[in-house]
Amino acid sequence: MEKQALLFLYSSVLIPIFITCAAVDTITVGQVIRDGDSTLVSADETYELGFFSPGSSRNRFLGIWFKNISPQTVVWVANTEAPLTNASGELRVSHGGLQLFNGNNTVIWSTNSSGSVSLVARLLNTGNLVLSDQGILIWQSFDHPGDTLLPGMRIGVDLVTGKGRHLTSWKSEDDPSAGPYVLWVAPDGYPQLFDTQNLDSKSRFGPWNGATFKGMPDFGGNSIQFVFNDTGRYFGYNLVNSPQASRMRLKPDGDIEYLNWINLTQSWNAFSTATNDNCASYSICGPYGVCNIDNTPACSCLDGFEPRNAEEWRRADWSSGCQRIEPLACGNENGYGDSFLILLV
Ligand SMILES: *[C@@H]1O[C@H](CO)[C@@H](O)[C@H](O)[C@H]1NC(C)=O
Ligand SMILES: *[C@@H]1O[C@H](CO)[C@@H](O)[C@H](O)[C@H]1NC(C)=O
Ligand SMILES: *[C@@H]1O[C@H](CO)[C@@H](O)[C@H](O)[C@H]1NC(C)=O
Ligand SMILES: *[C@@H]1O[C@H](CO)[C@@H](O)[C@H](O)[C@H]1NC(C)=O
Ligand SMILES: *[C@@H]1O[C@H](CO)[C@@H](O)[C@H](O)[C@H]1NC(C)=O
């Protein structure tokens, strides 16, 4: 109630200034970006922020995409859960931060931040939308990832505040609202990444061997970064080969794609898809099973184990896993005692 009253007071005092010149990367207090009229463009013209409709949807969303790439490739969406039903949306910066209004002067999405009349939002060359107040960072889109990880972004968990950042799939190519898949970094145990549908693991990437995750897409020589210390666990990547554009996306079907833009062919090159590696599918070989993509079939049993269900195993259904050929003989004093074998994976 109080907030609404303030807002009303505020908007009745300020006369909005509509941005009509397209080539600006900032929006300040009192300025407006209106659907169909204007966009923000990063200084190097890589990214653009404005209104769009995904796939065959007629709903409108505020998002960020690559400016010079066609078809339009969206990397971030603001109002994922609150679609605009017509092209009357407006983005404004006010004391209340960045606010998205529908045609009825109702705030449908907001950064929930507040600041002074010096608040300014800027679309950086990295694709990060940053809201700052006299040089102090208030909010940034990189802290609120959608389905796409861009170079320089990080997902993970801050072990001090308990706050997590993860990728969430779109419901479909036509609907950017939260789908069932989430890519997250395990907060405890071995450094691992999980791609999960609700709470069931679809794929697991890890453990981290210092350079990459087992089962992870090949990042085409770009450097993967994994921070694993007392204050947090983070995963991200940086460009080394410096292609035109690059992105990693958790698709609506839960698959992970890592793509580079190839200027010569004007197309995205799917450098790799995580599920190309059968062994990335969580628990595919069942208990006591071992997965090796170089083998056909990929699953086998640990030494001393045999398939629990030979018939299923022949049908390439390895889910029931393996069992001991000989029962454990702990405490056996006949010299045939059990021992440990080294498993190289
Ligand atoms: C527009 O706003 C008015 C008053 O805030 C409200 O009564 C009305 O239902 C709204 N209409 C729509 C289509 O949201
Ligand atoms: C756009 O949608 C809003 C919210 O539903 C509504 O209040 C407004 O009248 C619509 N504008 C047009 C031009 O249809
Ligand atoms: C702002 O706050 C509302 C209500 O608490 C919440 O639903 C919404 O997700 C928040 N927006 C952002 C961008 O965090
Ligand atoms: C953990 O890593 C982050 C990111 O590199 C760093 O800012 C932080 O200081 C590190 N914490 C500790 C305890 O080393
Ligand atoms: C990309 O290709 C276009 C023509 O298709 C060309 O004009 C442009 O200079 C190229 N950009 C780079 C960075 O190579």
Side-chain angles (χ1 to χ4, degrees), residues 283-287 297-300 312-322:
S283 195
I284 187 179
C285 299
C299 289
S300 59
E312 282 176 7
W313 198 266
R314 266 195 298 277
R315 292 199 308 263
D317 173 1
W318 305 294
S319 54
S320 62
C322 307

Side-chain angles (χ1 to χ4, degrees), residues 244 263-264 266:
Q244 284 272 102
N263 197 42
L264 192 67
Q266 292 287 298

Side-chain angles (χ1 to χ4, degrees), residues 183-335:
L183 185 70
W184 52 282
V185 177
D188 43 33
Y190 289 112
Q192 299 187 91
L193 272 171
F194 284 94
D195 174 3
T196 56
Q197 179 170 28
N198 303 319
L199 283 176
D200 291 333
S201 283
K202 176 185 163 81
S203 301
R204 181 187 60 172
F205 310 99
W208 174 249
N209 67 11
T212 188
F213 287 97
K214 227 176 139 45
M216 199 64 193
D218 175 356
F219 277 72
N222 287 320
S223 76
I224 301 185
Q225 202 187 33
F226 195 79
V227 174
F228 180 72
N229 65 25
D230 289 346
T231 53
R233 312 269 154 103
Y234 298 99
F235 167 74
Y237 73 100
N238 296 317
L239 292 184
V240 173
N241 295 339
S242 191
Q244 284 272 102
S246 162
R247 64 194 167 105
M248 177 177 149
R249 182 175 183 232
L250 179 60
K251 300 197 305 174
D253 62 6
D255 281 358
I256 298 163
E257 263 186 340
Y258 173 69
L259 305 124
N260 279 343
W261 178 253
I262 310 297
N263 197 42
L264 192 67
T265 58
Q266 292 287 298
S267 63
W268 286 105
N269 179 19
F271 220 93
S272 50
T273 305
T275 41
N276 279 347
D277 178 351
N278 282 330
C279 294
S281 293
Y282 185 68
S283 195
I284 187 179
C285 299
Y288 302 111
V290 184
C291 198
N292 184 343
I293 46 166
D294 297 331
N295 293 346
T296 309
C299 289
S300 59
C301 289
L302 287 171
D303 278 355
F305 288 76
E306 63 187 3
R308 188 176 288 275
N309 184 325
E311 186 51 40
E312 282 176 7
W313 198 266
R314 266 195 298 277
R315 292 199 308 263
D317 173 1
W318 305 294
S319 54
S320 62
C322 307
Q323 62 192 3
R324 288 177 201 283
I325 298 170
E326 298 285 342
L328 268 184
C330 301
N332 185 333
E333 284 164 24
N334 303 335

Side-chain angles (χ1 to χ4, degrees), residues 107-127:
V107 177
I108 61 152
W109 175 88
S110 156
T111 55
N112 293 332
S113 39
S114 56
S116 73
V117 288
S118 306
L119 270 183
V120 51
R122 170 173 273 122
L123 182 59
L124 304 183
N125 292 342
T126 53

